[in-house]
Amino acid sequence: KFDFNFTKYINSKFKHIVYQDDIHAYYNLESDTKLISVTQALKKFEQDNWDAILKACAKKEGKSPQQLRNEWDEKARIGQERGTFRHNYIEKRYNREVFKEKIDVIEKYLDQCTDIPILNELVVGNDIIGGRLDNLSLRDDRIILKDWKFNKSFDLVKKYKLTNGLEHLTTSEFHKYSLQTSLYKYLLDIDCDIEVIWFHEDEYQIFPIPYLKDEVEIILNKL
């Protein structure tokens, strides 16, 4: 049987790790240090030749590099705003808030999901890194670490590789989110399964995620 004292244990374990929302920063209160966010950490393993990639793509599309960069930045801004709205929606729905206008694909997932939510928006970290995982739920006495994603696309592999010891992985959403959620599991230090739930227009897909412990240790050692 699941021991619900688990929630008390987890909250106590990370009570010294805090998140300041207005500046998107994590802190370890015990050591009085600002932490590297999980997102920032993963960017250190992406290629640093994006200017060359941008120029090549711009030439292929018959545009200037600045014009293409502006288009990319605008698409990223719109996608981030859309993702933030939807992320806040599912978070508030888990807190039993209601909305005048429903997001049907999220409601469809919630209606079909029989998992028991345990913790939402949990801030975790150590002496180096900090992050906030979306959800821990209970399914048949197994803990499931869940991450909500709202990207326009969700590639399993991509052309470009990660760097600094992670060259066997690509810059695909699947690989980057596998690293992200594996970092959360490593910080939690519990036995759990991992899922990424990708919401797109009218449907959602659930991706079981492998635990990339070796890769997590490479990341932490580099940091």
Side-chain angles (χ1 to χ4, degrees):
K1 288 292 184 180
F2 180 76
D3 184 356
F4 280 91
N5 284 320
F6 167 81
T7 58
K8 182 179 180 181
Y9 160 74
I10 288 293
N11 281 314
S12 176
K13 180 176 181 177
F14 297 108
K15 64 182 180 181
H16 60 293
I17 307 296
V18 297
Y19 174 65
Q20 190 171 341
D21 189 47
D22 57 335
I23 59 174
H24 305 290
Y26 296 88
Y27 295 90
N28 184 321
L29 298 181
E30 285 186 350
S31 59
D32 193 26
T33 56
K34 184 177 180 180
L35 304 175
I36 302 170
S37 74
V38 168
T39 303
Q40 291 171 331
L42 293 179
K43 286 187 180 297
K44 296 180 182 294
F45 294 83
E46 293 190 20
Q47 297 192 40
D48 57 5
N49 62 336
W50 288 113
D51 284 341
I53 294 171
L54 174 66
K55 289 177 181 178
C57 291
K59 183 177 180 180
K60 185 177 179 180
E61 295 184 25
K63 302 174 181 177
S64 70
Q66 188 59 52
Q67 181 183 4
L68 187 58
R69 182 184 293 276
N70 291 341
E71 290 179 8
W72 285 359
D73 288 346
E74 180 63 11
K75 287 180 181 179
R77 184 191 66 79
I78 293 172
Q80 186 175 30
E81 287 182 358
R82 180 174 181 269
T84 298
F85 177 79
R86 291 188 161 210
H87 192 281
N88 290 340
Y89 182 95
I90 193 170
E91 177 187 346
K92 290 179 179 180
R93 286 289 286 109
Y94 263 108
N95 290 328
R96 302 189 185 280
E97 295 187 39
V98 295
F99 294 81
K100 292 181 180 178
E101 294 185 13
K102 295 182 178 181
I103 299 178
D104 291 338
V105 67
I106 293 178
E107 294 297 331
K108 182 177 181 180
Y109 170 76
L110 294 175
D111 287 343
Q112 295 176 352
C113 181
T114 59
D115 301 336
I116 302 171
I118 303 171
L119 291 167
N120 294 307
E121 299 299 313
L122 177 66
V123 176
V124 297
N126 57 16
D127 293 333
I128 302 170
I129 196 168
R132 185 168 59 171
L133 61 89
D134 289 338
N135 174 273
L136 289 179
S137 287
L138 186 65
R139 180 188 304 156
D140 299 328
D141 286 335
R142 286 287 299 171
I143 297 172
I144 313 296
L145 191 164
K146 299 184 182 183
D147 201 66
W148 323 121
K149 296 301 179 188
F150 304 95
N151 309 60
K152 188 174 182 179
S153 62
F154 196 110
D155 292 319
L156 298 181
V157 293
K158 278 189 175 177
K159 176 181 177 181
Y160 298 107
K161 305 288 187 180
L162 295 175
T163 63
N164 293 321
L166 299 180
E167 288 83 359
H168 57 293
L169 302 177
T170 74
T171 59
S172 70
E173 286 80 9
F174 180 79
H175 286 152
K176 289 194 289 187
Y177 296 154
S178 293
L179 290 171
Q180 176 191 1
T181 51
S182 291
L183 276 162
Y184 294 152
K185 178 172 177 176
Y186 186 93
L187 292 169
L188 285 169
D189 192 24
I190 61 171
D191 180 25
C192 65
D193 297 325
I194 308 173
E195 289 181 351
V196 165
I197 298 88
W198 176 47
F199 297 93
H200 35 117
E201 295 305 323
D202 301 315
E203 295 294 335
Y204 64 87
Q205 288 178 258
I206 300 175
F207 293 88
I209 300 297
Y211 179 36
L212 304 180
K213 184 178 180 181
D214 291 343
E215 288 79 359
V216 165
E217 290 177 346
I218 289 172
I219 292 171
L220 295 177
N221 286 333
K222 289 287 185 180
L223 296 178

